[in-house]
Amino acid sequence: SGSLTTHVLNTATGLPATGIAIQVAQLQEPGTQWMELAQRWTDEDGRCSPLLVPEQVKAGTYKLRFETAPYWQGLGHTSFYPFVEVVFTITDPAQKFHVPLLISPFSYTTYRGS
């Protein structure tokens, strides 16, 4: 059944992005308050343990916040984006949700993976 995963790739080097902090939060409906559900860090492969496991995945609006500035600073670069937030909606909690992030110091891209 459902889960939420991610991975981060540095597109400037073509290598996984290691050590990026990621927070996952769910929007509390109705309203504008976010409740943090988990925090993880990417490993040497740019991945982390599942952000949400099946019993945690519910229908709703979620946000992944990737702390990119410390990663770039660690590589001796500055980044135009100090963090990246990706907001998305889960309508069928039984599905697997994989939300990759591709980063460079001056751009980022995300998509729904499989």
Side-chain angles (χ1 to χ4, degrees):
S1 54
S3 65
L4 175 61
T5 58
T6 189
H7 75 271
V8 185
L9 178 68
N10 177 337
T11 59
T13 64
L15 299 172
T18 302
I20 292 183
I22 305 166
Q23 296 90 34
V24 59
Q26 184 176 17
L27 184 63
Q28 300 304 291
E29 302 285 354
T32 58
Q33 290 288 84
W34 292 93
M35 181 175 68
E36 186 171 315
L37 302 174
Q39 183 168 354
R40 306 278 188 273
W41 286 263
T42 57
D43 62 17
E44 63 281 345
D45 195 35
R47 299 176 187 274
C48 57
S49 59
L51 297 163
L52 297 177
V53 294
E55 56 272 8
Q56 294 174 302
V57 180
K58 310 283 186 229
T61 301
Y62 291 83
K63 171 172 63 175
L64 296 181
R65 180 180 167 113
F66 299 84
E67 300 295 340
T68 54
Y71 170 77
W72 291 116
Q73 289 166 357
L75 295 177
H77 298 288
T78 57
S79 173
F80 185 70
Y81 301 102
F83 59 87
V84 173
E85 290 186 334
V86 180
V87 178
F88 56 94
T89 302
I90 292 177
T91 56
D92 181 358
Q95 293 185 19
K96 179 181 182 208
F97 297 90
H98 184 66
V99 184
L101 181 67
L102 310 176
I103 59 171
S104 79
F106 299 101
S107 69
Y108 67 87
T109 302
T110 186
Y111 56 95
R112 179 170 176 193
S114 59

